[in-house]
Amino acid sequence: MQCVGSIFKKKMAGKNLTDIKEFILLGFSDVPDLQGLLFGIFVIIYISILTGNGLILLITKSDSTLQTPMYYFLGNFSFLEICYTSVTLPRMLADLWTQMRTISLSTCAIQLGFFLILGGTECFLLAVMAYDRYVAICRPLYYPLIMNHQMCARLVIGSWIGAIPVQAGLTYEIFSLPFCGSNKINHVFCDAPPLVKLKCGNSLLNEFPVYANAVLFGMFPFLLILVSYVKIITTIMKLPSATGRSKAFSTCSSHLIVVGLFFGSAIITYLLPKSKESGETDKVLSLFYTTLTPLFNPLIYSLRNKDVIMAMRKLLPK
């Protein structure tokens, strides 16, 4: 009888999966009076992200003085930010405008898959940019040999495609098992942590792949960046000239700010233990690594970089 009961439960779980044809993204439904204001704010943010990162991409490709590995990676990073934001923000804007918060099971899976793949790419690319600064400052004589065009292209291609198999596998893992009970996702887009909360079975077993994925694509690149910057700072402090130390720090500070914004909020969201009340916090933190980092990226790199400012002056009319 117990065996029959377990088989019946499994069948019912499978039935629940087929019954759920769509999810409801709660988003900002708890503040109905602010829907119009939020729509206007996020429209401005999205346009700013597209314009700012598009401008960075354009000048790094067109200006002859910026044809170096650092700006090659920056151009790729700006293009990535445009793609990364476009996975979530347009859908969020549509939900705010229409108040139709439903999303089909397949669309949710596609959004999650692209979001995870591009998020993993961003982690790898930030690590590559840290490695570039490490070689430039700690191995300056070997920099042209190590960071040649072929190596830079390999690092970028590896960053773009390296995350695809694992993140596609995690997406399949999340959607291959049935969801139980409510189909309401307390989030602004289809993200792994809130989806896992809706899955049937042992919550710890369901959450383990998400934690493992966060360690692989979050903590591991972050530790590489940390090690790189420990060596960079050690090398900079040994420079005899105060001007040389200041110049070396200025080339790294912009990247460090972006790393802090992105990894800080993402690690808190994916790796810290969850509670039933953590949904609202996760919702806010997700806006940091999906919206604020892409928004601040062009500002941080342009306002703190004389080469970028000069290139913008050449490109834009006075």
Side-chain angles (χ1 to χ4, degrees):
M1 290 295 293
Q2 290 179 349
C3 181
V4 173
S6 63
I7 293 172
F8 176 76
K9 287 179 180 179
K10 289 181 179 179
K11 287 183 177 179
M12 287 301 294
K15 186 178 180 181
N16 286 340
L17 176 63
T18 57
D19 285 342
I20 296 179
K21 302 293 185 182
E22 60 186 20
F23 292 106
I24 300 173
L25 291 167
L26 296 181
F28 302 102
S29 58
D30 54 334
V31 284
D33 296 336
L34 297 179
Q35 301 297 297
L37 176 63
L38 289 171
F39 177 81
I41 291 172
F42 284 114
V43 164
I44 294 171
I45 289 174
Y46 187 47
I47 293 173
S48 300
I49 290 171
L50 296 180
T51 305
N53 285 284
L55 187 59
I56 293 288
L57 177 61
L58 180 61
I59 63 173
T60 55
K61 297 299 181 184
S62 61
D63 195 285
S64 58
T65 61
L66 301 183
Q67 302 306 305
T68 63
M70 183 175 77
Y71 296 110
Y72 174 71
F73 295 134
L74 178 58
N76 275 274
F77 187 70
S78 294
F79 177 67
L80 172 63
E81 295 286 55
I82 292 172
C83 298
Y84 186 55
T85 309
S86 297
V87 171
T88 57
L89 260 181
R91 177 78 202 195
M92 193 191 312
L93 290 170
D95 289 342
L96 286 169
W97 179 257
T98 64
Q99 300 297 305
M100 299 287 290
R101 307 180 188 281
T102 57
I103 183 170
S104 68
L105 199 71
S106 58
T107 304
C108 186
I110 292 170
Q111 185 184 56
L112 177 64
F114 277 105
F115 175 74
L116 291 176
I117 289 169
L118 293 173
T121 302
E122 181 152 351
C123 293
F124 286 156
L125 200 51
L126 285 170
V128 166
M129 294 169 77
Y131 174 70
D132 171 69
R133 291 299 83 207
Y134 160 74
V135 177
I137 293 172
C138 301
R139 299 286 186 271
L141 296 178
Y142 297 97
Y143 184 71
L145 295 175
I146 297 173
M147 302 304 293
N148 56 60
H149 180 72
Q150 191 175 29
M151 174 58 74
C152 292
R154 287 176 179 175
L155 288 172
V156 167
I157 293 170
S159 298
W160 276 96
I161 68 174
I164 293 175
V166 177
Q167 301 293 34
L170 177 61
T171 304
Y172 175 79
E173 172 72 18
I174 290 173
F175 283 88
S176 63
L177 295 177
F179 294 92
C180 292
S182 175
N183 66 337
K184 295 180 180 179
I185 303 175
N186 188 21
H187 212 57
V188 292
F189 59 90
C190 288
D191 200 0
L195 280 167
V196 166
K197 290 179 182 178
L198 302 180
K199 291 179 65 175
C200 301
N202 188 299
S203 60
L204 291 177
L205 291 177
N206 291 336
E207 290 171 359
F208 176 75
V210 178
Y211 283 121
N213 181 75
V215 170
L216 177 62
F217 290 95
M219 288 304 299
F220 183 64
F222 181 70
L223 289 175
L224 289 177
I225 293 171
L226 196 62
V227 170
S228 297
Y229 273 104
V230 168
K231 294 184 177 182
I232 287 170
I233 293 171
T234 303
T235 302
I236 290 174
M237 295 307 295
K238 292 178 182 178
L239 295 175
S241 168
T243 305
R245 289 195 296 269
S246 177
K247 185 176 180 181
F249 271 122
S250 68
T251 63
C252 302
S253 58
S254 300
H255 182 249
L256 271 175
I257 294 170
V258 174
V259 166
L261 278 172
F262 180 79
F263 279 100
S265 55
I267 287 172
I268 292 172
T269 302
Y270 280 83
L271 288 178
L272 289 189
K274 304 296 176 188
S275 65
K276 291 183 179 179
E277 293 78 24
S278 64
E280 296 301 321
T281 305
D282 290 347
K283 196 187 301 184
V284 173
L285 285 171
S286 69
L287 295 177
F288 276 85
Y289 57 85
T290 60
T291 304
L292 291 185
T293 302
L295 176 64
F296 290 150
N297 173 53
L299 292 174
I300 291 168
Y301 277 103
S302 61
L303 294 177
R304 301 180 62 86
N305 192 304
K306 293 180 181 179
D307 293 334
V308 173
I309 293 173
M310 291 298 294
M312 285 186 177
R313 286 177 178 174
K314 292 179 187 176
L315 181 66
L316 298 176
K318 294 182 180 179

